[in-house]
Every structure is written in structure tokens, then in C-alpha cells.
Amino acid sequence: MRNPHNPRFPSRLVRASRLMPALIAALVAAPQAWPQSFKLPGAGSPTLPAATAPATASPTSPALPASTTSATTSAQSRPSAAPAQAGRVVPVDAIVAVVNNEVITAQELESRMQLVEARLKSQGVSLPPRAEFQKQLLERMIVDRAQMQEAKEQGIRVDDNLLDNAIARIAQQNSMSLQEFRNKVERDGTPYNRFREDIRGEIMMQRLREREVVNKVQITESEVDNFLAANGGAMSAQPELDIAQILVRIPENATPEQIAQRRARADEALQQLRGGADFARVAATYSDASDALNGGDMGWRSPDRLPQLFVDAVAQRQDGEISVVKSANGFHILKLVGRRSAAAGNGKNGAALPAVTETHVRHILIKVNQVVPANEARRKLVELKERLDHKAATFEELARLYSNDGSASKGGDLGWIYPGDTVPEFEKAMNALQPGQISDPVESPFGFHLIQVLERKTDDMSRERQRTLAKQALRERKVDEATEDWLRQLRDRTYVEYRNDELAGLAGAARQ
């Protein structure tokens, strides 16, 4: 695997390093607040386990907190309220679930519900029954909490400098200044400090998944050979598919009784769909997938970036038709939302990929960290650019001396770059340069760069490039499947105790 600080990093992982903004947007804002460019192209839909019966405590389970939070205890220890408030009932923030040695409170659940409900309403999605909705959302929060606990145990941290840079990039992607973006977040009902911590959490969970899943996925040369053989020896522009799914997860090592229960739940969802129910509403009610609260829509993907099981299931289906398949993860109810010609094809389905422009480029990278802040990194590159402009040194010499990148030993040379090989910030600046020209400092997720274009050429897709694209497609498919398995295993080994009385109380209060 290439050095992740090299901008010539596999495109899916580069995009993943940009915060998984679609998921963030889904949690904190209505869709019109965040444009579609926030979504990770081709990002997987890791599925979440079902909200089944409470887990049984193991002998090593941590001591469980009482049925109210520590905030409640401290409230009880405070002096009594002023006489004017003596008869007032003060609500207590009850615990709705225990996740290992942490708790999720009713207030946390209700706050998250309000945000997601507002988003669904803005999308025109009819809300599912509140009790089912609470269970779905609580299960999502449990899996997120388990990931955060695992990340902390592994020593994964996100410092404030990195967080500030990440939020600045999100604001830039939305064509806003940082202050405008902050105002927008707060107008949409999310305190800015909470938004920051949500972003920090997303980065931590993404880093955890990269460590536990992405970095462990291997693609063999024989797999690439077989993939290309199945595609006629070359990557082709295949029609893209938009599929929505409802996943009813089967726990690992499930008993026949558990499988029967999950099948019955899938049948119940299918019955509602055949009765004319809205797919998005049924997905929000029944699906255990992470995209459940987005109506189950997986977005547009080429077939090579979908599980083969899904591709086969919808191959003979018309738009709007439904299929049911079973995998190792559970029962999948699939709806073919639509087909379209791949944007890259510009021609008939199955046509070979067109000629592309390659760029021979080199760079000097100064990383931003706790020791080197952003302004210092930019200032250093301004100095180096002045030296280059005055011919006081060569680009190769300065790259060897100052670049914080694996290409430094080669004078910053990144070789021939294809479109999409680098992060958008780098590619945009690179494409604006003429051969021989050196950029001003360019900011990317990896730090600040000086970029020099050496030469360009237009050529048909080379055999080496065909294999690279095939390997990326296989990796993306494997990562999606491995992430599903990893999340299921993480959930299954997490101690969870549901406080059902509190959940029932919430549902009852909502009906009144």
C-alpha cells in the first residue's frame, strides 16, 4: 500500500480520508444544507447489527451503572430548590442503554432523534412508527459508541489542529467561509461545539476502520487476472446502478430460532412493500444497514463496486422492482432504483475507456502537525518558491531536503499521474499548471505542496493502468464486505444492556 501521505494514494482511500462527509451531513443537517459533492463516491454501506434482545452479561462484563446517570446523583445531592420552585417536577435523564462501561441516555437519544426526524421530513420521507424509529437509531448509536471505545483503546486521537483543518475543508467544499459555515450549522439547530465533536468522532472511527479493515485487505495478481478476464481483458465503462436495500441482519453464529425470527422480520417488511408502502419508510423502520435512515439508498455505483450477489439479483429487474437475497450477513431486500450510462464512458455500454491525459509531476510537501502549524508550513514553502524563482536551488535539491513525503528521495517525483489519482485540491492545482511551471503553496488534506508539472501526454489506457483500476475496484468491493463483517463482529462482542422500561416510557410519552 502506498504511503497515505503521498497524494498518489488509491482514490477511494483518499476520499475516505476526507471525513466521510455524507454520514456527517446525515447526522447533523438537512440535505439542502450540504451539497451532493459531500458524498463519498462509491463509498460502501457498512451494515449495522439488528436491534435484538438484550445481550447477556459475561463474567468479565464491567460493573453496570445505576438506572440514572451521575448527573442525576449530583442533582440529588444539591441543596433543595428555592421555595418558588419547590412544587416543580424536574425531569431526570434516564439511561436507555449500557454499552460496555458507558451509557446512552434518554436525552442523547431524543436529541439525535429530533435531528434525524427533521432531515427525513425535509427529504419528504414519511416517518416510521416512533418506537421502531427509536430502536433503529439507538442501535446506530450503540455501534458508533462501540467504535469510539475501540478507537480510544487503540490510542487513536484527533488533535484540534487536524480537526480545525478538516472543518475548514468542509466549509470550503460548501463554498462558505468558516464563520458562514458555523452560522449555518447553528441555524440548523446543532451547537457548533457538538458539531466539532461529531466531526472528531467521525475521523476517529474512519481511522479505526482503516486500521482494522482497509489496511488488511489484500488483492492478489490472480484475482486481477480473473477480474479482467471476466471483463473481456479490459476495464470498460459499465452502466451504473442505483440500488436501495433493506438489510435484516443475522447475528454471527445465530441459532435456527434466531434465523427464523430474522426471516419473519424480513417477510414483514416485504409484505409492507408489496402492499404499497414507501421503501424509504420501511427501510427506516426495519433495516439494520447504516444507510437505513437515508431510505436505504446506496447511491450510483458501477457493478464492479457492488457485491456480485446484488448485481445478479437485479440483472433482470426493471426500475422499481424488488428482489430478495440472502447473504452471510442476513436477508437483503433490494430495489433497483435506476440504471444509467457511466459518466466516464461517453459512449455505448461496454465501450473501452477513452484516451486519457497523463501528467508527469513532482512536489514538495510540508505536513501540518502539532509542531508545524499551517501558517508555518505555508511560510516555509513561500521561501522555497522564492529560492526556485531566483534559481538559488533546484526543485530536486529542495525536495530531497525539505519534503515530508516518500517521494523526497526521488526529488519529489510522483511519476505519471492519471485523472483521479490524487486528491481534488492537488489535481485542480496541477491541471492549472503549464509544463515547467511551479505552483504557489497548495493546501490539501496532507499539508501544503509546491507542485511542478514536468510534461503531459495523451494516450490510450495502458495495460498497467487497466490492472491498477481493476485492483482498485476489487479492493473497494472487498473493503465493503470486510467492513460489514468487522462491524458485525464488533457489535456481537460488545456488552449491551437495554433499559427497556425507559424505552417504553419514551414511546408512551410520544403517543400522548
Side-chain angles (χ1 to χ4, degrees):
M1 181 178 295
R2 294 171 181 168
N3 184 339
H5 297 295
N6 187 330
R8 193 175 182 182
F9 192 45
S11 59
R12 183 181 189 278
L13 304 188
V14 170
R15 289 193 296 267
S17 74
R18 299 175 67 218
L19 304 179
M20 299 203 317
L23 178 56
I24 297 166
L27 292 176
V28 300
Q32 65 266 31
W34 322 118
Q36 289 299 314
S37 62
F38 256 52
K39 292 187 177 180
L40 284 177
S45 297
T47 52
L48 305 183
T52 54
T56 303
S58 66
T60 59
S61 299
L64 299 180
S67 61
T68 55
T69 63
S70 58
T72 304
T73 304
S74 62
Q76 292 170 344
S77 66
R78 290 195 296 267
S80 59
Q85 298 180 349
R88 181 181 165 193
V89 177
V90 179
V92 173
D93 191 7
I95 292 173
V96 294
V98 179
V99 184
N100 291 324
N101 60 350
E102 297 182 11
V103 300
I104 295 174
T105 69
Q107 184 178 353
E108 289 178 279
L109 177 59
E110 182 62 25
S111 177
R112 183 60 60 87
M113 284 195 67
Q114 290 175 3
L115 290 170
V116 179
E117 282 177 341
R119 181 179 56 80
L120 291 178
K121 287 178 181 177
S122 70
Q123 289 179 312
V125 176
S126 56
L127 296 176
R130 189 172 176 86
E132 288 290 335
F133 188 37
Q134 285 174 325
K135 291 178 183 177
Q136 291 287 77
L137 195 53
L138 177 60
E139 188 63 27
R140 175 81 61 86
M141 293 173 71
I142 288 169
V143 175
D144 286 351
R145 186 67 59 89
Q147 290 181 79
M148 289 296 293
Q149 291 170 351
E150 183 75 14
K152 290 174 182 175
E153 286 181 10
Q154 295 194 23
I156 296 174
R157 299 288 184 269
V158 175
D159 61 55
D160 287 342
N161 284 336
L162 190 150
L163 181 61
D164 290 339
N165 290 335
I167 294 175
R169 286 195 297 273
I170 295 175
Q172 185 178 21
Q173 290 166 9
N174 281 272
S175 303
M176 298 180 188
S177 69
L178 190 57
Q179 187 59 50
E180 290 171 337
F181 183 73
R182 176 172 183 162
N183 293 342
K184 177 63 177 173
V185 168
E186 292 179 339
R187 281 199 307 271
D188 288 339
T190 304
Y192 186 69
N193 286 341
R194 174 179 169 180
F195 178 82
R196 279 176 55 85
E197 293 310 309
D198 283 345
I199 299 293
R200 194 193 304 271
E202 290 298 335
I203 299 173
M204 289 177 65
M205 288 189 288
Q206 179 61 29
R207 286 184 169 182
L208 174 67
R209 287 190 287 268
E210 287 178 358
R211 178 182 295 185
E212 292 297 306
V213 180
V214 176
N215 293 345
K216 296 179 181 179
V217 170
Q218 301 294 326
I219 307 296
T220 66
E221 293 302 314
S222 61
E223 287 177 306
V224 176
D225 291 337
N226 294 336
F227 182 87
L228 289 174
N231 285 275
M235 293 292 291
S236 60
Q238 301 170 298
E240 294 180 331
L241 303 174
D242 186 4
I243 296 176
Q245 73 155 334
I246 296 170
L247 169 65
V248 178
R249 178 174 287 286
I250 298 174
E252 195 171 22
N253 302 319
T255 64
E257 291 78 12
Q258 287 176 309
I259 295 175
Q261 290 171 357
R262 307 310 288 166
R263 184 189 297 275
R265 182 172 173 82
D267 287 341
E268 187 178 333
L270 188 59
Q271 223 172 13
Q272 291 196 21
L273 292 172
R274 288 173 174 165
D278 178 63
F279 194 97
R281 185 176 188 272
V282 176
T285 305
Y286 288 91
S287 183
D288 300 318
S290 63
D291 51 28
L293 299 179
N294 294 325
D297 197 337
M298 301 173 67
W300 289 101
R301 303 194 199 182
S302 60
D304 53 34
R305 285 171 169 79
L306 284 165
Q308 192 61 42
L309 184 70
F310 289 13
V311 177
D312 294 341
V314 303
Q316 305 303 319
R317 298 293 179 183
Q318 300 297 317
D319 291 0
E321 290 187 345
I322 290 173
S323 305
V324 181
V325 294
K326 182 178 180 295
S327 73
N329 288 313
F331 299 98
H332 304 262
I333 301 173
L334 305 175
K335 177 182 177 181
L336 177 60
V337 180
R339 287 187 176 90
R340 72 180 183 188
S341 297
N346 291 327
K348 296 180 180 180
N349 296 341
L353 289 168
V356 294
T357 299
E358 302 172 62
T359 304
H360 187 191
V361 65
R362 60 186 177 186
H363 78 146
I364 299 171
L365 169 67
I366 304 294
K367 295 180 185 176
V368 175
N369 51 43
Q370 290 178 315
V371 178
V372 183
N375 59 347
E376 175 62 23
R378 183 189 293 273
R379 186 195 62 78
K380 184 63 180 176
L381 287 181
V382 168
E383 288 182 0
L384 297 183
K385 175 80 181 313
E386 289 178 355
R387 292 178 65 182
L388 291 170
D389 289 343
H390 291 89
K391 303 188 183 306
T394 66
F395 197 101
E396 183 177 0
E397 290 171 345
L398 296 182
R400 290 180 185 276
L401 287 172
Y402 297 104
S403 186
N404 304 140
D405 182 63
S407 66
S409 62
K410 295 182 283 187
D413 195 338
L414 296 173
W416 287 96
I417 299 292
Y418 286 85
D421 274 355
T422 65
V423 293
E425 299 89 341
F426 189 99
E427 182 167 312
K428 181 180 178 181
M430 176 185 74
N431 290 341
L433 298 173
Q434 297 299 318
Q437 188 177 1
I438 300 173
S439 72
D440 291 325
V442 174
E443 185 179 10
S444 84
F446 306 116
F448 286 84
H449 312 254
L450 283 185
I451 305 169
Q452 183 180 37
V453 170
L454 299 175
E455 53 185 323
R456 285 194 175 94
K457 66 180 180 181
T458 300
D459 203 354
D460 291 334
M461 192 67 68
S462 67
R463 182 176 180 276
E464 178 187 354
R465 181 60 175 173
Q466 294 277 359
R467 294 187 68 82
T468 299
L469 290 176
K471 188 172 292 187
Q472 288 178 356
L474 286 168
R475 168 176 287 277
E476 187 165 331
R477 182 187 292 178
K478 274 193 172 185
V479 165
D480 286 349
E481 295 169 353
T483 300
E484 290 184 3
D485 291 340
W486 175 75
L487 282 172
R488 182 188 62 198
Q489 293 166 12
L490 177 65
R491 174 62 179 83
D492 287 346
R493 67 173 182 263
T494 299
Y495 175 88
V496 177
E497 178 190 338
Y498 295 97
R499 297 296 171 88
N500 292 321
D501 290 344
E502 283 80 359
L503 278 175
L506 281 175
R511 289 192 294 269
Q512 294 175 357

